[in-house]
Each structure stands twice: as structure tokens, then as C-alpha cells.
Amino acid sequence: MDTSFWQIVALAIVQGIAEFLPISSSGHVVILATLMGATAEQFDVVELNIFLHLGTFCSIVAYYWREIIRLLTEDRRVVGLLVLGTIPAVAAALFLKATDLDHMLESPLVAAVCLLATGLMLLWTSRQTGGDADYRKLPWWQALAIGVAQAVAILPGISRSGTTIAAGLKTDLRPQQAATFSFLLALPAILGASTWEVIQRLRHEDAGPQLSLPELLGGAVIAAVVGYVSIALLVRVLEKKRLHYFAWWCFFAGGGMLIYLATR
């Protein structure tokens, strides 16, 4: 399947919005691919994914550059917490690969059902006010628990930001602190996913590049700009304790896809 300019723009916008807002970027990519008459595998252009992930990575760095500098200086303990929190996601990915269950990651049915589950989880967060804890003082087991929540989000339709922020609120982190830890935890996850995609790309050296460098860079810039705005929006929504508002979009997208699959 050839990737047109507008498909690149659509994917970049979806990536920038859904990577950070609690509505699942992977679920929306699967749904978008289905609606455009392709499988997720056909829709998956490896080098474009790499650049889109690069764009969202830059969004986090641009928004949280002060916190990242502190990670390298006074907050080095947090680096260990982030590593610990990343282990469950790595284990989940390896498990799916080893058991050949990774085909579920391309299933529109799985994406639809998981979006409904994300909606229910977001409604649950309306009852979670959080506490006054600081992410820099998280006990190791709570960081691991947030990492387990991130691992569940490997399924399409389960929001990574939604699950990790919800888990952070459950550990009594302040809402903004939960968001900060969630997005810092995304850095190794995005870097790991991008590294894996680069390895996969290098294994298929005979397959020439499908997109030009300007197209790839354009997608990355769009994803970065949209991603930065999405982070700012999510932080503002969290401050107003309205994270559950996103549940209604998840119900709409997930329910709509179930109806589409049942009637096509």
C-alpha cells in the first residue's frame, strides 16, 4: 500500500494527539488503517514510524527539559525508577513475540474492545483525586506498579498515558506529578520502540526506502508540534481533574468500530 502525503499527515496528527492524550495511539492507528481499507501491517511503514516516534520523543523533551536536566544531576534516583518501570513493558513485548500472540496488536476488534476498557478506566479516574506525593520519592514497588500499567498498554486501544497516570493517582501522586512521571516513563518506551523498528528495518536491507527524507521529516515535525500541544492540554485537563472527559471519545471510537465490524 502506497503512503500518500495526506496519509502521512493523518498518521502524524493521530500520533501526536493519541500518543499523549489518554485515547491510545496504537488503537487509533489500527482503526484508521481499517477504515482506509488496509491491514495495520500494510499501514505500518517502518521508517515513518521511526520518525513519528522521534517527533513525539522531541515533544516530551521540549516540554519537560527542566525535569530531564534534573534527572542527569540532582534527581538521579528517578533514572532507576524509570528503568524499573520500563521492565514490565519489555517483558510483555517479548512474551507476545515469543508466543506469536503479537498478531493481536493489529486486530481492529481488540482495539475496539480495549478502547471501551480505556473509557471505563478513565471514568474510574474521576473518583481518584490523587494525593500530595512527589514522583521523585516514589517507592520502587510503586514505580514497578506504574510500569505494569504501562505494559498493559501494549494492547491497541489501551492508553499508555491513561493507564500510567491512573496508576500514579492511585499511588497518591499529585495529578501533575503523575503526568510528569508518565511522560518521563514514555522516553525509554519510545526510544526502545524506535530502536526495535530500526533493527527490523535493517533486517530488510533489500527493501528500498518507501518515503523520501522530506516526507519523513515533515511527519516528524507535525507529530512533534501536535504532541507538544497535546501534553500541554493533558496537563491542563489534569489540573482541573477532568481526565474522565476523554472516556466519551473512547466509547465513541471503540463502539463505532464494533458497529462497523459487525455491519461491513
Side-chain angles (χ1 to χ4, degrees):
M1 175 179 172
D2 294 330
T3 304
S4 71
F5 168 76
W6 290 112
Q7 287 172 341
I8 294 172
V9 172
L11 280 172
I13 292 174
V14 168
Q15 179 74 16
I17 293 175
E19 180 73 24
F20 301 122
L21 298 186
I23 56 176
S24 176
S25 61
S26 60
H28 279 71
V29 167
V30 170
I31 287 176
L32 186 61
T34 302
L35 294 177
M36 297 181 74
T39 65
E41 184 177 2
Q42 289 173 323
F43 210 61
D44 185 24
V45 180
V46 175
E47 61 261 35
L48 179 59
N49 269 342
I50 294 170
F51 275 78
L52 294 185
H53 280 124
L54 175 62
T56 51
F57 187 92
C58 291
S59 299
I60 300 174
V61 173
Y63 196 90
Y64 286 107
W65 64 271
R66 294 180 183 84
E67 288 79 3
I68 292 171
I69 289 176
R70 285 200 293 268
L71 287 180
L72 303 176
T73 54
E74 57 194 86
D75 292 340
R76 291 180 183 174
R77 177 181 179 273
V78 179
V79 175
L81 297 178
L82 296 177
V83 171
L84 187 63
T86 302
I87 292 174
V90 174
L94 292 176
F95 172 79
L96 288 178
K97 191 68 177 177
T99 55
D100 291 329
L101 292 175
D102 52 345
H103 65 275
M104 293 192 306
L105 305 182
E106 302 172 358
S107 168
L109 178 60
V110 171
V113 172
C114 287
L115 275 169
L116 297 179
T118 293
L120 292 174
M121 178 198 66
L122 293 175
L123 287 183
W124 174 81
T125 64
S126 65
R127 300 175 178 270
Q128 306 299 314
T129 58
D132 58 359
D134 189 314
Y135 74 90
R136 292 172 292 184
K137 298 178 181 179
L138 269 178
W140 68 268
W141 62 270
Q142 289 184 344
L144 184 61
I146 296 174
V148 170
Q150 177 172 252
V152 174
I154 195 172
L155 294 172
I158 300 295
S159 166
R160 194 210 67 82
S161 63
T163 56
T164 52
I165 290 173
L169 294 175
K170 189 63 177 177
T171 62
D172 289 330
L173 287 176
R174 294 195 298 273
Q176 192 170 17
Q177 292 282 304
T180 300
F181 189 76
S182 170
F183 289 128
L184 292 178
L185 189 60
L187 290 175
I190 293 174
L191 187 61
S194 298
T195 301
W196 173 256
E197 288 172 342
V198 169
I199 292 173
Q200 293 297 99
R201 187 70 182 88
L202 292 176
R203 286 179 177 177
H204 299 84
E205 294 180 356
D206 54 327
Q210 301 180 49
L211 299 170
S212 67
L213 184 59
E215 289 175 321
L216 295 172
L217 290 176
V221 170
I222 293 172
V225 173
V226 175
Y228 186 94
V229 174
S230 297
I231 294 174
L233 175 61
L234 182 59
V235 170
R236 185 175 179 82
V237 169
L238 271 171
E239 289 172 348
K240 295 184 176 181
K241 296 180 172 57
R242 294 175 180 171
L243 189 66
H244 58 284
Y245 282 14
F246 293 104
W248 307 113
W249 174 258
C250 292
F251 291 144
F252 171 77
M257 177 51 54
L258 284 180
I259 293 172
Y260 174 81
L261 293 173
T263 58
R264 67 173 180 174

